[in-house]
Amino acid sequence: HFVSTGKDITERVRAEDALRRVNERLDATLRTLPDLLFELDENGCYHEVWAHDEALLAAERTRLLGNTVSAMLPAEAAEVVLAALREAAETGASRGQIIRLFPPHGEFWFELSTVRKEGKPGEPLRFMMLSRDITARKQVEDALRTNEERLRQLSRGLFAAEEDQRRLLARELHDRVGQNV
């Protein structure tokens, strides 16, 4: 004699399928971002790292996870990141901080945008930090500053040459007038 019990799990299967589709869309979206994205806690510990180009990371993803920004970034950059986390903790968001890093293959500049994640009361604060590579922009800004300085130097040289020319002309006029008197 056998007894069979059954339970309709159709709703659960639908919910799991919907969740899987949402996760697939989120993963696809994150893979298309050219920026770096980090989930950090209030101590600056990396909980998740998304990188379209892992060469832009300060260290390998697996080394970042579980470590703090203070352990993985230069002191100056770590302090900027921690200040952004503090601001986001207080106001909900922080934008526009700039850090400079030197991974093995060069110098890179990043602009940070940070938001506080909503969590349950009593849970530690978590943050999402988007790190945009602005190296090309910084290089253009540096080149512009260099060119502006060169232009100022040329302008000063031109002004000095004009002044010399005026003095020479004034001396010649003075000498001619003196000879005619």
Side-chain angles (χ1 to χ4, degrees):
H1 194 283
F2 292 100
V3 174
S4 172
T5 59
K7 186 175 184 180
D8 186 3
I9 59 168
T10 305
E11 278 304 309
R12 181 174 148 207
V13 169
R14 283 185 191 145
E16 288 173 352
D17 189 49
L19 181 59
R20 182 186 50 74
R21 284 193 310 271
V22 166
N23 282 333
E24 287 172 356
R25 282 195 302 272
L26 179 59
D27 287 343
T29 300
L30 291 173
R31 283 193 309 272
T32 64
L33 286 177
D35 304 311
L36 305 174
L37 186 62
F38 305 98
E39 182 175 348
L40 303 159
D41 66 22
E42 56 196 332
N43 299 313
C45 183
Y46 293 97
H47 289 274
E48 192 55 77
V49 175
W50 294 273
H52 179 73
D53 181 1
E54 290 200 15
L56 295 174
L57 294 173
E60 292 176 9
R61 180 183 180 279
T62 55
R63 284 190 52 221
L64 292 174
L65 293 173
N67 275 305
T68 64
V69 295
S70 296
M72 302 307 295
L73 300 178
E76 186 178 314
E79 185 48 44
V80 171
V81 170
L82 293 171
L85 294 176
R86 286 190 297 272
E87 182 180 349
E90 293 173 13
T91 66
S94 174
R95 288 178 176 58
Q97 291 85 359
I98 307 286
I99 62 170
R100 185 169 99 178
L101 298 178
F102 297 93
H105 51 283
E107 173 188 56
F108 289 88
W109 292 86
F110 296 93
E111 183 174 15
L112 309 177
S113 297
T114 309
V115 295
R116 183 182 62 226
K117 289 179 68 175
E118 295 301 320
K120 296 177 184 169
E123 285 185 344
L125 292 178
R126 292 280 182 103
F127 304 88
M128 297 304 294
M129 180 176 284
L130 184 117
S131 182
R132 175 157 291 159
D133 179 7
I134 60 165
T135 304
R137 182 178 94 192
K138 291 295 273 184
Q139 289 169 343
V140 168
E141 289 172 356
D142 289 347
L144 183 59
R145 271 193 294 281
T146 299
N147 288 338
E148 287 174 346
E149 181 55 33
R150 286 182 186 155
L151 184 57
R152 278 193 288 280
Q153 289 173 355
L154 288 171
S155 294
R156 284 192 294 267
L158 181 58
F159 182 73
E162 288 174 346
E163 286 296 311
D164 289 345
Q165 192 69 14
R166 285 187 191 108
R167 279 193 288 278
L168 183 60
L169 186 57
R171 194 173 312 130
E172 278 185 36
L173 285 172
H174 181 267
D175 290 349
R176 284 186 189 168
V177 169
Q179 290 173 357
N180 289 338
V181 175

